[in-house]
Amino acid sequence: GSITNFERSIERQLKRTEEEKKTANKRLDDRYETLANQFADADSAINRMKKGFESVEMQIKQSQASK
């Protein structure tokens, strides 16, 4: 009777909680992947800028040395 209904209710709640956990983990994994890609893109852009600044700095030094 009521114990069986209670067990079924608990089982449904457990199943629903497990599904919510899977969904939350998937969203978290997706967000992590997005942020990791954004970080890699930012790191690459920073490195390109650094190389550009180093090139400009070298040109300035060469210009100053030839004076």
Side-chain angles (χ1 to χ4, degrees):
S2 63
I3 292 178
T4 302
N5 288 338
F6 181 70
E7 280 182 341
R8 288 181 185 153
S9 173
I10 294 294
E11 287 171 358
R12 283 192 303 271
Q13 187 176 4
L14 181 61
K15 186 175 182 179
R16 188 171 39 248
T17 302
E18 288 173 354
E19 289 172 3
E20 289 171 358
K21 179 183 171 189
K22 285 180 186 178
T23 301
N25 280 334
K26 172 82 169 91
R27 279 197 321 262
L28 186 61
D29 289 344
D30 291 347
R31 184 66 179 146
Y32 177 84
E33 183 177 348
T34 298
L35 290 174
N37 288 336
Q38 288 175 347
F39 181 81
D41 290 345
D43 190 50
S44 178
I46 290 168
N47 284 332
R48 284 193 307 273
M49 283 190 248
K50 252 176 103 172
K51 288 179 183 177
F53 289 132
E54 288 170 358
S55 174
V56 169
E57 184 180 31
M58 186 172 27
Q59 290 174 356
I60 291 170
K61 286 181 181 180
Q62 287 173 348
S63 168
Q64 290 172 344
S66 67
K67 289 182 179 180

